[in-house]
Structures are given as C-alpha cells and as structure tokens.
Amino acid sequence: MFRLERSSDAEQSTIRLIGRVRSEHLGEIKNQMAGGGPKVTLDLEDLTVVDVGVVRFLGKCERDGIGLLHCPPYVREWISREGVKRMEKIRNERAFPGTDPRGGEGKVMGAPKVAVLRAATASDTKEALRRQYGGTIQLTGADDAFYERHLIFDNVVDPGATGPRERFEAFARAMRDVLSQRWVRTEQTYQRVNPKRAYYLSMEFLIGRSLSNNITNLLLSPFVSEDVRERALDWVGLLEQEPDAGLGSGGLGRLAACFLDSMATMQLPAMGYGLRYEYGMFRQSIENGWQHEQPDNWLRRPDPWEVARPDERVELKVGCTFELRGGVLQAMNGQPSTLIGIPFDRPVVGYGGKTINTLRLWAAAASDYFDFQTFSHGDFVGALAGTLVAESLTRVLYPDDSTTQGQGLRFMQEWFLVACSLADLIRRFRRTNADWNSLPEKAAIQLNDTHPSIAVPELMRILLDEAHLGWDQAWDLTQRTLAYTNHTLLPEALEKWPLEWFETPFPRLAEIIFEINRRLLDSVRHRFPGDEGRVERTSLIEEAPTKHVRMANLAIVGSHSTNGVAAIHSALLRSMTVKDLAEMFPERFGNKTNGVTPRRWLLLANPALARTITEAIGDDWIEDLGQLTKLKPLADDAGFRDAYRATKRAAKSAFAQWLRSSSGQTVDPDSIFDCQIKRFHEYKRQCLNALRIVVLYNRLRDNPMLELTPRTFLFAGKAAPGYYLAKLVIKLLNNLAVTIDSDPSVRGRLKVVFLPEYSVSLAERLIPATDVSNQISTAGYEASGTSNMKFMMNGALTIGTRDGATIEMAQEAGEENFFLFGLTAEQVASSRSWYNPRWHYDNQPELRAAMDLVSSNHFSRNEPGVFAPLRDTLLTRDYYMNLADLGSYLEADRNLWALCGNSDAWTRKAILNVASSGKFSSDRTISEYATDIWHVKPCPVP
Ligand code: NBG
C-alpha cells in the first residue's frame, strides 16, 4: 500500500511517502508537489520499496534542489548509481566534444593545447590515448569507473558521505590507474632493452603537488575537464586537498624534481632515489612577526601516488646498534645490527605520457629478526624499542638549506640513502648483466651535492667484497660510474664528517677511505714534490682539530665528473674552492647551468600566458623551450603586447583573489608586484631589500607629492629554525608590513606583504603574477638560483646582482632588458680586506636615515631594540656587503620605476625576457648531463 501525507507551514511543505512506492504513483506525487506552493521536501522515512523509475525521479528531485529527508542508505546508493549511469549516457551522446584544441577548460585545469589533439578527431585522440594507457580511460561516469570505485570501495562509505579529501584521493587513484600499465611497461622496456640508465641520488626532492601536474603531462586535461563539469566537482577545492610533498628545503630539492620531469619527458631511462621522510619541510606560521615552526605530517592521510614494495626491501648491516637520546644518535659498540630499507615508488610522468619513470624513496624499518637475546632475557619492550630507533632514521627532513650541521642522524640518513640505492641498483644491474666490467656502460650515478658521496667508498666496498674484484679494477669502475654536482661554495656548507662516525658503524668504509687517500696523496706527492701544503689541502682527511672526512674531496676524487650549476659558480669552484683538486684533475671539471621544467612552471602555473604563447607560435615550446625566441619580433607588435598584458593582469587578479579568500589580505592587482621568494639567508640579502623599502618609505613621507606607481612588495620564504638573524629579517619584514599599512601618508602607494608557508604551490601562484623579480645575493654566493628562471619565463623583469645564473639570463635577454646592479664577484672578493660598512653609513644620507628609522623603534614600538642585532651586524661585520650595494640597488630601482610609466616599453622588455628564457629549461640542462656526463640515450617505450 502507498499513501501520501502532507504537512505545511508558511515557508515549507513536507510530503511523506509511506509504503511501497512504484512508478505508477509518480503522477500523484508530482501533483502534490506542484500544488505545494512554498519550498517542498520529501520525507522518505517510511518508504519501504521503490523501483528504478522512482529512484530516477528522486535523483532528479535532488538535482532540482528538492530536499530528501531520512533517505534510507540503500535508496541513497541506488540514486547515486543511477546518477552515474545517467552521466555515462550523456557522455556517450556527446561523444567527447570537449576535446577542443584550445583545451577548452584551460582555466580550471591549465589544459594545454596538445599536439596529439590538433591533428586528430576527438575519437581518434581518445583511441590513441586509450591505447597508450593500455585500456580504458574511464575516469568517472559509470559505477565501475575508476573514480567511483575508489570513492566507494577505498573508503567503504556512501559516496554522498564523502568529503573533498576522499574525492581527491579517489581522483588521484583513478589517475594512477590510468598511468599504471604504462608505468609497468616503461620498466619492462628498460629490462628488455637493457640500456644505460641514469640514477639521480638526492637527499631532497621538492615535488609539490602531483595531481594537476600528472593530468597535464598525461594530456588528459580535456577528459578530466569534462568529468569535472558533469559531476559538478569542486575542482579547486579537490586540488587543495593534496598536501605539497615538501621533501626538500629549497632550490636543490626543487631542481631534483624538475630534473625528474625532464628525464621522463625526454624518454631517458632514469630513476630518482631519495628518502621517504614522514615529516617534510616544517610548516611556517607567523606570530607577532616571528616565524614559528610546526611539523609537516604530510603522510598522515594515505598518499595516493606511492606504491610500497616490501618485496624489494634491502637489508643493511651496521657494525653497532644505536640509541636516540633527545634527537642525538649514539652508537653502541660491540653489537652489530641490521636495518631494513623499504622502497616506496612514485610515478614520474613525462610530458605526453609516453615514459613513466620511477622515483624510489626509502623508508627505514627495523629488522624482522627480532632481538631474541634481549627478548629471551625478558625485555620484550626493550627488544621492540629498537624498531623506534630504526624508524626514526627517515622520520624527518633536516630543514637547513645550503648549510649542514654536524648531526649524526643526518649522517646516518645520507649513508642509508646510499646503501639502499646502491644495493638496489646493483641488484638490478646483475639481473641482466653478467660482467661487472660493464657497470659504467649500464649505470650513471649522479650525486646531488656531497650528501650522497658515501657512494664512493660504498660502491668500492661492493666491488671489492661482493664482486671480489681487485682494487684497481674496482676503482676504475667506481670512478667511471659516479659523477658529482656541487651546489654551493659557502664554506659552512662543505660537508665534513667526523672520522669516528665512519669507524664504529662502518669500519670497512673507513678502511676504504684510508686506502683511497693513501693512493691519492702518493700521486699528489709524485706530481708536486715537496708541496706539503697541497698534500694537506687535497687530503680526504682534515686532521685538526679532530679528524674529519672532507666529503667534497671524496666525491671529486671518486668520480669522473664534477660540475657546478651556473657558469660563474663552476668557474669559482675550480679557481677558488677546490683549486688543488681542479689542478690535479682538470679534465673532470665542467659546468651545467641549471634549468626548470616549463611544464610545471609555465604550462600549468600560467595557463593564460601558455595559451597566448601557443596561439602565437604553436605548442612546440612545451618540449622545446628554445622555440620561445619566435616571440621576439612580437615584442614590437601592439596586439601581442595587449594580449600579454591581459595574461599578466589575469594572473595578478587570480593571485589577489586567492590571497583574499585564503588569508583575508588584500593586494591591489593594479600595483606593481615586486617579489623576493626564497630561503632566508644572509647571503640572499632580504635585509637589503628591506632597507630599500624603508628608503622608499622615507622618500614618500618626506615628499607626499612624489609621483610613484603603487608598489606591492611580496616576500615568502623560510628561515632555518636555529638561524636567528634570518628569523629577525622575517620579523623586520612583517613589522614593516604592519607599520606601513597603518601609515595614512603612504597607504595605497606602498604595501609590504609577507606570505607565510612558502611552498611549491605558493610559488606556482605568485610567480605568474609577478612584475619584478629580486635576485640580489652578494655576487659569488648564489650558486645558480632557479626561481630567477621561473620569473623570467613568466615575464617578470629582474632587478639583480651579477650572480649565479642571473648573469646568463641577462646575456640571453640583453643587459638592456635587465636591471643589474652592485659589486661583481671579483669586486666582492678583492674589497673584502678593506671593506668598511661604516663608511656607507657616514656618507649615504638615505641609507643612514633608513637604518636610523629601524633603530628608532618606528617599526617595533612594542619591542624596543629588537632589531639591534641587525644594525650591529650591518655596521660592524656586514660579511655579505649589504651596505656596499644599497646605493646601486636604489639606482637600478629608480630606472625600473621610471619604466613603470611606459607600459609599452615595460611590456616589450617583459616579452623579450619570456622569449629569451629558452635556455633555462631543465630539458636543456638534462640533455647536457645525458650527453656530456652520463652518455645515456632515450629509450622510447612502445
Ligand atoms: C642551492 C644553491 C642555489 C642553486 C640550487 C640548485 C644548496 C646546497 N644549493 O643557488 O644555493 O640554485 O642549489 O642548484 O641548496
């Protein structure tokens, strides 16, 4: 029996459906609803059985905004399944019209105009991609489609009860399903062809988010856009659920991530090896201007990309056991132990989805071999506590960038990365190669900075003790297999580990290091007789005050190639930092100027500019960034300049909107966005930038009629938790922001914003919106820089010193399109002995006024004297010569400011910058590594 009950008040009426409802009752229900007047709700509490017609009707009611009260779970599930079928039907009827060659929904997805889509019809394209990915690309729309299955079965909940996090996971897993067959096939191809492979060993991979990047690289944006539209998914909200994989602290880790993208895109048989830190780079918050650190527990929720491979675990022997006391690792002699490395693989999708390489991250675990001795003595808990120490090894990333602290745990992490990765890659090598002599023809191992340079003695150990080769043969193979990249000249960053840290846990490695050193010093003495100073400097062991192993020397001696990361850096490395070794082995030294991936940093981050470029010159630039030079003549084309300006304006508005909605802060998109985003370090001189802002602030206060284009100064970056001066500069910038905001005399003309929690995702938002990029390190100290390249690619003008890769960027674009200033590296080095910061204070009134204003507590009324250590550092030591460069910085700034009034001239320069950024693609860098160092060739996957 079926009946209806209706109750109404002034605002709404509720219709209760009671008993067995069938399709034939629908007319009656609709009649009741039509006469409902106010808002209608259906109460399904006593509804017992329904047929599919009723289910469809209820689904439609929901879509029309009619509430369903007390809907039984089985009805809810049925509605959802019918909804899915309906989508599928609509989809088939439309036969994928969404494969619009402009990538239609680019604004949501950053959809590229993909080459494959241009030539083919929509269904050809679908077929081609379907074949490429080994089957279906049925992401959503049927009850057995990937997304729906993951949503329901991974969570075992009613889909209606899932939130954005579950939807993100389901979508990412659906995407992983699509790529997984291609991923397997990539590895199968490498096994079959047995090419030489490149292995990139790095303590850091600053990956950021993967979902949108993978969609872009798989060329699935048009498909996904359609799914998103049909399912009315809150796409932005879904993307926001993915935590940034912050497994790196700065440029070195981000470079490694860009390199992986390029290697996969160029179809190189390559693999990344790193550590699976449970806690990535700390999260930064700002309280009362000060930086605070919170742990980044990024794996709290399951990561949808990673695949654990416990069957491929490796077992490592250590000559002692460890105890952790207050974060300090202590070796306990006399009790050897075993550690386990468990690999977790992440897909690295090359652009076009043809090659899917692997990033293998190691997690530490305790041996399964329970400590029976301790156990049988009754200490069950003690036996298990060993597990805690073992697992602590990969718990947390060290947050210092460009410096190392002498920490035992860090040393063990470096060893663990090396020991696991070498064991794994040697196992793979042995599977298909009987002859140890072919190792250098099958494997190229790149050491990302000195962090993995324990690879030198470890590979020797394997070749001597496991392959039973003689010393000379083992040494020859080791050197020909390994190559080393240096990333910094800062003396405090050149790693030196106490010799005793090797001796207790790894006595064999210590022995090997001694033997390498004995032979090295013999040959130094032979070549430079009587030069004991040189012997001392070249030695792998620093003798005083206690014996330490010089890891850079070890890496250079044990490999066939050493490179810096920009021309000036490589030159200084050779001529200053490791001069003696460069004289000993000149043929080993080279340069590989850094680059960044244009997929993430232009195509994905800046869809409007990417589209404008593609419209003008086609889309070949995505994989061949040198094509951007074709834009050069367009700098003189008024129509193109308009189009360019529109993209910048769109990026600025999007940023301003995001900032308002995420933090409540407002910035004016019509002001000039002047940015400095990077780690906080004295050599990067954010403090110099702060002084510039105070000078401009003083000028405006002194002369309110001064004509100035409004400027917004945006800062982001983290300081190492123990780096007081760097944290004080963050405090200064935050205080400037507050004081300037509350000063009516400059309001609307100057604004300072400190954006907390700098991350890859934040950079992706901010860089496209930026007009002016500050690259103002003391010349000779920034090895390369990579954000400088991202800014250039996105049309920002650079104000900067002649340092790192900025020099080469200006060469490419022409110095007239750059705002260079300051002492050169030679001038810095040669003036060090007589440099007197006080002179600048005494003789430059604007500089003095700015410093005095900071000291006067104008920016720190409630914390008098807080900035005294900054003043003290600047006036007495000023090792990084801030004061020497402030005058020329202000002059460059004046030139830049003069250009603000001439929009065409500005835009012209901006376009020429974009057009000249082709060299700074990481594809170019990787092709140089592949050709000059690795001798690795593409291995296409059929
Ligand atoms: C950093 C340099 C940067 C450089 C990146 C990538 C370290 C040790 N070095 O200038 O400071 O761009 O490496 O090469 O993090």
Side-chain angles (χ1 to χ4, degrees):
M1 277 299 291
F2 166 70
R3 70 191 162 84
L4 280 168
E5 264 177 22
R6 177 188 182 109
S7 56
S8 306
D9 59 27
E11 274 161 25
Q12 91 161 38
S13 65
T14 302
I15 303 171
R16 286 183 69 150
L17 308 183
I18 302 165
R20 298 166 65 89
V21 190
R22 296 177 197 281
S23 294
E24 58 258 35
H25 300 127
L26 289 178
E28 191 185 339
I29 300 173
K30 284 179 189 164
N31 279 343
Q32 277 291 338
M33 288 168 68
K39 197 169 165 251
V40 179
T41 303
L42 298 179
D43 186 339
L44 311 182
E45 188 165 21
D46 298 319
L47 172 120
T48 46
V49 180
V50 287
D51 67 22
V52 71
V54 177
V55 171
R56 287 184 190 145
F57 167 74
L58 292 175
K60 176 156 189 337
C61 288
E62 259 201 332
R63 286 194 298 281
D64 293 345
I66 293 167
L68 303 183
L69 265 185
H70 306 122
C71 182
Y74 76 96
V75 179
R76 160 82 35 229
E77 164 104 36
W78 201 347
I79 292 176
S80 138
R81 260 198 259 149
E82 281 306 307
V84 163
K85 282 190 196 151
R86 183 177 153 271
M87 293 297 176
E88 171 72 342
K89 196 158 153 256
I90 297 174
R91 220 176 138 87
N92 289 340
E93 279 161 9
R94 289 193 200 160
F96 281 88
T99 45
D100 152 20
R102 290 261 72 83
E105 299 309 292
K107 87 178 171 317
V108 191
M109 310 291 305
K113 171 191 169 212
V114 290
V116 61
L117 298 184
R118 191 171 38 191
T121 65
S123 61
D124 285 350
T125 304
K126 191 180 177 195
E127 263 325 294
L129 285 174
R130 201 196 286 281
R131 272 198 304 280
Q132 175 160 311
Y133 298 122
T136 178
I137 315 178
Q138 187 72 57
L139 286 174
T140 74
D143 45 11
D144 61 349
F146 296 145
Y147 171 75
E148 273 77 10
R149 286 181 65 86
H150 284 300
L151 195 61
I152 298 171
F153 297 116
D154 293 0
N155 300 294
V156 197
V157 288
D158 182 317
T162 54
R165 170 69 204 194
E166 287 79 15
R167 288 197 282 274
F168 154 68
E169 275 176 29
F171 218 98
R173 290 300 304 269
M175 209 44 71
R176 203 184 84 182
D177 291 348
V178 173
L179 64 80
S180 53
Q181 295 187 58
R182 195 79 198 155
W183 193 8
V184 170
R185 187 187 272 233
T186 302
E187 183 50 36
Q188 281 169 345
T189 306
Y190 295 164
Q191 276 177 29
R192 181 167 44 78
V193 179
N194 191 19
K196 182 169 184 181
R197 303 200 202 202
Y199 294 105
Y200 199 78
L201 264 62
S202 178
M203 288 289 282
E204 303 194 359
F205 288 92
L206 190 41
I207 306 169
R209 288 179 173 150
S210 294
L211 179 55
S212 51
N213 190 72
N214 285 348
I215 292 170
T216 299
N217 280 9
L218 289 166
L219 308 182
L220 293 180
S221 308
F223 297 78
V224 172
S225 313
E226 190 167 336
D227 286 332
V228 165
R229 196 173 43 223
E230 283 178 359
R231 303 198 66 72
L233 284 175
D234 167 14
W235 186 243
V236 176
L238 186 151
L239 291 178
E240 285 291 311
Q241 292 298 317
E242 180 168 16
D244 262 56
L247 308 183
S249 64
L252 172 141
R254 183 53 233 174
L255 182 78
C258 283
F259 279 4
L260 291 181
D261 179 276
S262 286
M263 291 189 276
T265 297
M266 297 162 80
Q267 306 188 43
L268 292 175
M271 189 160 172
Y273 277 117
L275 294 182
R276 182 181 179 269
Y277 303 107
E278 265 171 69
Y279 293 84
M281 186 61 190
F282 68 81
R283 298 181 67 81
Q284 176 196 54
S285 62
I286 302 295
E287 287 162 38
N288 184 30
W290 293 104
Q291 166 178 298
H292 287 252
E293 300 92 28
Q294 285 92 31
D296 166 43
N297 191 359
W298 76 293
L299 287 174
R300 187 175 39 224
R301 308 281 306 250
D303 181 86
W305 301 109
E306 65 178 16
V307 183
R309 307 240 185 242
D311 292 345
E312 297 184 46
R313 69 226 293 264
V314 299
E315 248 186 66
L316 307 171
K317 301 272 176 241
V318 190
C320 59
T321 36
F322 291 99
E323 264 187 32
L324 254 183
R325 292 203 192 119
V328 178
L329 198 66
Q330 295 190 332
M332 315 290 284
N333 266 329
Q335 225 185 11
S337 58
T338 305
L339 271 174
I340 303 292
I342 300 185
F344 285 75
D345 289 350
R346 307 175 73 83
V348 180
V349 180
Y351 185 73
K354 298 193 189 77
T355 291
I356 299 179
N357 281 335
T358 299
L359 168 60
R360 176 159 280 197
L361 302 179
W362 298 100
S367 160
D368 282 353
Y369 306 119
F370 203 63
D371 186 347
F372 280 110
Q373 219 185 344
T374 317
F375 184 48
S376 60
H377 283 92
D379 189 4
F380 176 78
V381 172
L384 273 176
T387 315
L388 290 180
V389 177
E391 285 163 5
S392 300
L393 206 53
T394 49
R395 183 141 303 147
V396 56
L397 166 80
Y398 275 85
D400 296 62
D401 158 88
S402 300
T403 52
T404 49
Q405 309 163 328
Q407 298 250 6
L409 194 56
R410 166 75 178 197
F411 170 74
M412 284 298 293
Q413 288 182 335
E414 297 185 353
W415 165 79
F416 183 73
L417 165 69
V418 166
C420 291
S421 309
L422 288 190
D424 190 54
L425 72 88
I426 290 288
R427 177 169 62 190
R428 185 174 306 114
F429 164 75
R430 293 294 288 165
R431 244 181 253 141
T432 36
N433 302 282
D435 182 3
W436 282 99
N437 283 311
S438 63
L439 181 64
E441 278 83 61
K442 294 298 173 190
I445 302 176
Q446 191 69 34
L447 308 177
N448 197 26
D449 219 337
T450 50
H451 315 151
S453 50
I454 301 175
V456 175
E458 175 66 5
L459 187 52
M460 280 300 283
R461 187 194 62 76
I462 294 171
L463 295 174
L464 292 170
D465 301 354
E466 293 176 15
H468 307 293
L469 306 182
W471 181 276
D472 289 339
Q473 195 185 359
W475 185 237
D476 174 62
L477 297 180
T478 297
Q479 283 184 317
R480 284 164 55 212
T481 305
L482 300 180
Y484 156 61
T485 305
N486 173 287
H487 290 268
T488 177
L489 304 179
L490 292 181
E492 67 267 32
L494 289 180
E495 287 184 303
K496 290 171 195 157
W497 295 119
L499 185 62
E500 58 174 331
W501 288 3
F502 288 86
E503 283 170 328
T504 308
F506 320 117
R508 182 63 176 141
L509 297 187
E511 224 169 78
I512 291 171
I513 291 171
F514 281 137
E515 182 57 17
I516 298 173
N517 201 35
R518 190 186 66 75
R519 289 169 182 246
L520 169 71
L521 299 187
D522 277 355
S523 67
V524 177
R525 289 199 174 98
H526 184 71
R527 273 193 54 190
F528 302 95
D531 193 348
E532 277 307 302
R534 183 184 291 267
V535 171
E536 192 284 315
R537 293 189 303 270
T538 312
S539 175
L540 302 187
I541 311 289
E542 189 173 87
E543 298 289 333
T546 55
K547 280 192 183 354
H548 278 66
V549 181
R550 294 171 170 149
M551 302 307 279
N553 294 26
L554 181 63
I556 294 167
V557 171
S559 62
H560 67 282
S561 162
T562 293
N563 72 281
V565 290
I568 180 181
H569 166 66
S570 297
L572 291 172
L573 180 70
R574 277 181 97 135
S575 62
M576 320 250 307
T577 317
V578 291
K579 184 159 174 281
D580 299 294
L581 285 162
E583 282 170 10
M584 195 69 194
F585 311 111
E587 71 294 344
R588 289 187 197 172
F589 282 75
N591 171 56
K592 296 283 166 275
T593 298
N594 283 166
V596 301
T597 168
R599 269 74 62 186
R600 185 179 287 265
W601 295 107
L602 183 47
L603 182 62
L604 184 62
N606 199 343
L609 180 57
R611 252 195 314 275
T612 303
I613 294 173
T614 297
E615 270 161 25
I617 63 168
D619 62 7
D620 291 347
W621 62 271
I622 299 171
E623 288 179 82
D624 175 11
L625 202 65
Q627 297 285 330
L628 292 182
T629 47
K630 291 185 183 158
L631 294 174
K632 280 193 177 160
L634 296 176
D636 295 315
D637 176 321
F640 188 75
R641 284 199 302 267
D642 283 344
Y644 171 83
R645 271 193 289 267
T647 67
K648 185 56 82 181
R649 177 64 222 216
K652 290 171 81 170
S653 305
F655 177 80
Q657 229 167 359
W658 168 79
L659 186 66
R660 194 172 42 249
S661 63
S662 62
S663 72
Q665 299 201 72
T666 53
V667 287
D668 172 9
D670 288 323
S671 64
I672 297 286
F673 283 10
D674 180 307
C675 297
Q676 189 175 9
I677 51 174
K678 45 183 82 248
R679 289 303 298 262
F680 274 75
H681 198 293
E682 285 166 276
Y683 84 80
K684 295 181 189 275
R685 300 200 294 193
Q686 284 93 348
C687 188
L688 174 62
N689 197 342
L691 286 176
R692 171 184 65 143
I693 295 169
V694 177
V695 169
L696 299 177
Y697 172 65
N698 272 339
R699 281 185 196 163
L700 279 177
R701 294 200 313 156
D702 293 348
N703 179 5
M705 304 311 287
L706 198 69
E707 229 180 86
L708 281 183
T709 315
R711 293 267 279 269
T712 303
F713 298 94
L714 295 132
F715 291 87
K718 296 177 184 179
Y723 193 166
Y724 182 71
L725 273 182
K727 288 176 124 172
L728 194 54
V729 175
I730 292 181
K731 165 80 174 160
L732 173 61
L733 291 170
N734 278 291
N735 282 25
L736 287 186
V738 172
T739 309
I740 290 177
D741 253 0
S742 57
D743 186 336
S745 69
V746 296
R747 193 167 300 139
R749 310 175 78 187
L750 278 195
K751 185 169 177 75
V752 178
V753 178
F754 186 93
L755 304 158
E757 183 49 14
Y758 183 45
S759 61
V760 174
S761 300
L762 178 58
E764 285 170 32
R765 289 201 165 87
L766 182 55
I767 290 172
T770 296
D771 299 299
V772 180
S773 150
N774 285 265
Q775 305 296 334
I776 59 175
S777 51
T778 314
Y781 286 87
E782 186 67 272
S784 160
T786 41
S787 74
N788 47 359
M789 302 168 181
K790 298 165 197 165
F791 280 118
M792 181 190 197
M793 227 170 251
N794 283 278
L797 302 186
T798 303
I799 182 164
T801 48
R802 291 176 177 80
D803 200 13
T806 303
I807 298 178
E808 290 159 72
M809 288 161 39
Q811 272 161 9
E812 291 293 303
E815 285 212 2
E816 67 283 7
N817 295 310
F818 265 61
F819 296 85
L820 296 180
F821 70 90
L823 299 178
T824 62
E826 297 83 68
Q827 288 166 335
V828 167
S830 63
S831 57
R832 221 179 243 309
S833 57
W834 51 263
Y835 172 62
N836 173 16
R838 191 98 215 169
W839 184 90
H840 295 278
Y841 179 79
D842 292 337
N843 291 282
Q844 292 176 249
E846 282 199 311
L847 180 155
R848 186 170 56 245
M851 291 198 45
D852 289 349
L853 191 66
V854 174
S855 307
S856 75
N857 298 318
H858 180 78
F859 302 106
S860 51
R861 295 218 168 91
N862 302 325
E863 290 159 285
V866 66
F867 298 122
L870 281 181
R871 182 187 175 94
D872 181 48
T873 306
L874 289 178
L875 283 182
T876 56
R877 294 178 289 279
D878 196 19
Y879 185 78
Y880 293 106
M881 301 193 179
N882 290 269
L883 302 194
D885 277 349
L886 182 62
S888 58
Y889 188 18
L890 289 167
E891 201 178 303
D893 189 84
R894 202 186 284 276
N895 296 336
L896 187 109
W897 216 308
L899 203 65
C900 291
N902 184 345
S903 160
D904 275 343
W906 181 293
T907 307
R908 205 177 155 273
K909 281 194 198 303
I911 294 170
L912 289 175
N913 266 275
V914 177
S916 312
S917 66
K919 173 175 170 185
F920 305 101
S921 162
S922 44
D923 298 347
R924 189 265 315 144
T925 315
I926 283 300
S927 99
E928 291 178 10
Y929 274 93
T931 317
D932 304 342
I933 303 178
W934 304 335
H935 309 292
V936 166
K937 296 195 184 64
C939 177
V941 180

